[in-house]
Amino acid sequence: METIYLAGGCVWGTQAYIKTLPGVVETEAGRANGETSTLEGPYDGYVESIKTVFDPKIVSPKALTAYLFEAINPYLHNRQGEDVGPKYRTGIYSTTPQHLEEVSEYIQSRADADRIIAEVLPLTQFVPSAPEHQDYLDRHPDDYCHIPKALLERFR
């Protein structure tokens, strides 16, 4: 198994979507690449992200990025849906340089590459979200979500 961190707005919807994708075996909502290392915050510099453990025999970092870009708007700066601010920026993070290379190559291969606003950076830190934010939409399916319901159901 391998791990990559995907950021696409609020963790509730992003996690609900990512965990349904083929080859994803585990997810954990949290914050990546910030300046502190506690759940209590402050959360300066962080991006809401999903730790994504996947089977590389089934899905690649490139495919995971393509799936993410289907569910969000990769052209928006610091925003997804009604959520606005730097913590809702789009990004792909990893401690594996090959993952970052593959994701960068995928983005550059797209006809819209010049419009895509997504960080592709080494992971420097990950802090899991509090337990009440893990798998939140499973417990509260009617709460706000920036991911279209059809995509949340596609692979179920």
Side-chain angles (χ1 to χ4, degrees):
M1 297 303 122
E2 296 182 18
T3 304
I4 197 166
Y5 299 77
L6 304 173
C10 173
V11 293
W12 298 347
T14 307
Q15 182 181 32
Y17 173 66
I18 289 171
K19 73 182 194 176
T20 68
L21 299 177
V24 172
V25 297
E26 181 183 330
T27 62
E28 182 176 27
R31 293 171 173 82
N33 289 11
E35 299 171 12
T36 59
S37 60
T38 67
L39 283 174
E40 290 78 35
Y43 301 118
D44 296 337
Y46 275 101
V47 57
E48 291 200 5
S49 60
I50 306 302
K51 177 181 179 182
T52 306
V53 179
F54 65 97
D55 184 341
K57 294 176 186 167
I58 299 173
V59 68
S60 67
K62 172 185 173 181
L64 289 169
T65 303
Y67 283 130
L68 178 66
F69 288 1
E70 284 181 17
I72 64 160
N73 184 335
Y75 313 124
L76 295 178
H77 180 69
N78 293 340
R79 179 180 184 167
Q80 289 299 321
E82 296 176 18
D83 300 310
V84 179
K87 72 179 185 176
Y88 299 113
R89 64 191 182 270
T90 301
I92 299 92
Y93 312 93
S94 182
T95 59
T96 305
Q98 182 180 348
H99 291 171
L100 300 176
E101 289 172 25
E102 185 176 334
V103 169
S104 293
E105 288 171 5
Y106 164 69
I107 291 172
Q108 291 307 310
S109 75
R110 290 177 50 129
D112 60 353
D114 61 327
R115 295 179 36 223
I116 292 176
I117 299 172
E119 296 180 332
V120 181
L121 297 170
L123 180 78
T124 58
Q125 187 176 57
F126 180 79
V127 177
S129 293
E132 61 266 19
H133 293 287
Q134 302 296 333
D135 302 310
Y136 181 86
L137 285 181
D138 289 348
R139 295 184 315 279
H140 307 280
D142 295 324
D143 271 5
Y144 167 76
C145 181
H146 67 290
I147 308 287
K149 287 201 182 279
L151 287 177
L152 293 173
E153 297 298 325
R154 179 169 64 177
F155 295 113
R156 289 187 192 253

